[in-house]
Amino acid sequence: MKDNSKILLVYTGGTIGMIKDYETGALKAFNFDELLHNIPELKILEHEIETMTFGDPIDSSNMNPEYWIKIANVIHERFDDYDGFVVLHGSDTMSYTASALSFMFENLTKPIIFTGSQLPIGDLRTDAKENLITSIQVAGLRKNGKPVISEVGLYFEYKLYRANRTTKINAEHFQAFSSMNHPALAESGVYLSVNYKALWAPNRKQKTKLHIGFDDNILVLKMFPGISESTVEHILAKPGLKGVVLETYGSGNAPNTSWFLELLRKKIKEGLFVVNVTQCVAGSVNMGQYETSVGLMKVGVVSGKDITTEAAVSKLMYLIGKDLSPKVFKTIFETSLRGEMS
């Protein structure tokens, strides 16, 4: 696995790209052109590392589909020139961006690894160096001349996850992400251990294809006890609304009151796509298991199974951009396209 790989490191923004000015105490953007000088440990790796940065670093709270497409295009335009890609990104919305890229790259044959940090790269106790070094190592893994990882991954605090299975679970701990419904793809300890059974296998006979047609006319509607008819009616009356990620209780349950079900039935009949995901951090939607989810199934709500909200948002934008019929949309959404659901 020690084949020399050529890796492109793409810095989009985020905490990992900051370094402290010890004269002023202020944080400033890290100069990635001086990467090897500032992180000499990278010289130990056998990989050839090249870097590029976005002109204006993007705080992850400002991320949107336009930036997703920009990141994807950077990789797509250089896809044949590198063996793997590492994207440095703010952690707050990393799961959204990484999930989106997993849908944008159909039949991905090379690794795209997202990482970031909770502390700036210049801090004494930073997690940035380990996350960066191991992400590059993971992106460069090869076996029999082929990449070991052929999907979009997210590496944080000693674990590599399938990106579209991740959720940020902690704003303070170094272990900021979790993948509750799918095992880690690799774990870094004394050795870098790869879980080969958990990896997504591409069809290497087909070329990687980029999809950039996202439609962001969607919203997330989170159920809560006491949600009123006027509230839901107002939300679903949003002009141009095409899709809703409905965050329900437990295994996909929601109020079975007549006003709620009739409102959904009416909107779905008018062409609105409604996808059911659970508010729980683990587990799956199983519509029909309880009486409070039978009605959702009958009015045409689509099951998100065990998909995360982050992946559901990007998958919904991706599929709405395809201009599919309701029947085809349901079939495709309930099918695992990039390993995003079981």
Side-chain angles (χ1 to χ4, degrees):
M1 287 191 187
K2 292 186 178 181
D3 292 347
N4 191 339
S5 295
K6 190 175 181 181
I7 308 298
L8 179 64
L9 183 66
V10 182
Y11 174 59
T12 68
T15 301
I16 194 171
M18 308 303 290
I19 193 166
K20 183 176 288 187
D21 184 329
Y22 289 100
E23 291 184 3
T24 65
L27 294 175
K28 60 182 181 180
F30 181 73
N31 184 357
F32 277 91
D33 291 334
E34 301 176 4
L35 187 66
L36 292 176
H37 174 73
N38 286 277
I39 311 177
E41 295 92 334
L42 289 175
K43 295 178 182 178
I44 300 173
L45 295 175
E46 297 180 352
H47 308 314
E48 180 183 346
I49 304 166
E50 294 185 4
T51 65
M52 73 154 293
T53 63
F54 278 26
D56 296 312
I58 308 159
D59 187 290
S60 65
S61 295
N62 291 323
M63 271 290 169
N64 59 48
E66 289 185 8
Y67 287 127
W68 297 347
I69 293 169
K70 184 176 180 180
I71 296 169
N73 278 330
V74 164
I75 294 172
H76 181 68
E77 290 167 3
R78 298 160 176 81
F79 195 77
D80 294 333
D81 299 328
Y82 297 91
D83 300 302
F85 303 85
V86 174
V87 179
L88 305 183
H89 190 290
S91 62
D92 285 351
T93 61
M94 188 186 296
S95 289
Y96 287 95
T97 303
S99 293
L101 260 74
S102 76
F103 295 115
M104 296 171 82
F105 283 95
E106 180 182 354
N107 199 47
L108 185 62
T109 56
K110 296 179 181 180
I112 300 174
I113 309 299
F114 278 75
T115 195
S117 66
Q118 294 286 65
L119 289 175
I121 206 164
D123 266 32
L124 182 63
R125 296 177 51 253
T126 186
D127 55 331
K129 285 189 177 182
E130 197 284 323
N131 286 350
L132 175 58
I133 292 168
T134 307
S135 291
I136 293 171
Q137 188 177 12
V138 165
L141 287 177
R142 298 176 70 80
K143 187 175 183 180
N144 299 325
K146 296 178 182 178
V148 171
I149 310 297
S150 299
E151 58 182 292
V152 182
L154 188 156
Y155 182 84
F156 229 90
E157 189 62 7
Y158 304 111
K159 289 187 178 180
L160 175 69
Y161 303 108
R162 175 166 299 152
N164 57 33
R165 292 289 197 140
T166 61
T167 296
K168 186 174 182 182
I169 59 169
N170 201 301
E172 297 180 353
H173 293 176
F174 286 150
Q175 190 173 346
F177 290 86
S178 185
S179 171
M180 301 299 292
N181 289 326
H182 194 270
L185 306 182
E187 189 164 354
S188 177
V190 175
Y191 302 101
L192 185 58
S193 177
V194 177
N195 183 357
Y196 286 92
K197 292 182 179 179
L199 299 179
W200 184 254
N203 183 346
R204 297 189 182 277
K205 294 181 180 179
Q206 296 182 7
K207 289 186 177 181
T208 300
K209 183 178 180 181
L210 179 66
H211 300 266
I212 57 173
F214 277 63
D215 192 323
D216 61 1
N217 288 298
I218 73 161
L219 57 80
V220 177
L221 176 58
K222 189 182 185 83
M223 291 288 97
F224 62 88
I227 192 168
S228 67
E229 179 177 0
S230 60
T231 297
V232 177
E233 189 171 26
H234 176 73
I235 291 171
L236 297 186
K238 178 184 179 297
L241 183 64
K242 297 179 182 179
V244 173
V245 174
L246 186 67
E247 280 199 348
T248 57
Y249 311 122
S251 58
N253 306 309
N256 58 0
T257 53
S258 58
W259 68 261
F260 182 68
L261 293 175
E262 178 56 27
L263 185 55
L264 287 180
R265 185 198 65 77
K266 177 176 178 290
K267 291 296 182 179
I268 290 171
K269 189 175 181 180
E270 291 173 356
L272 184 69
F273 296 112
V274 182
V275 176
N276 188 359
V277 304
T278 177
Q279 295 179 15
C280 299
V281 294
S284 177
V285 162
N286 186 7
M287 290 194 295
Q289 183 177 8
Y290 293 95
E291 184 181 351
T292 45
S293 65
V294 170
L296 296 178
M297 189 166 54
K298 287 183 177 179
V299 299
V301 173
V302 176
S303 175
K305 301 183 180 179
D306 63 350
I307 197 171
T308 64
T309 293
E310 294 88 338
V313 164
S314 55
K315 187 174 185 178
L316 185 56
M317 290 183 184
Y318 167 68
L319 291 181
I320 290 177
K322 298 293 184 185
D323 195 24
L324 306 171
S325 70
K327 184 176 181 180
V328 173
F329 174 89
K330 174 179 170 61
T331 299
I332 296 179
F333 197 97
E334 293 182 351
T335 301
S336 180
L337 302 179
R338 314 284 191 264
E340 73 279 4
M341 57 174 61
S342 300

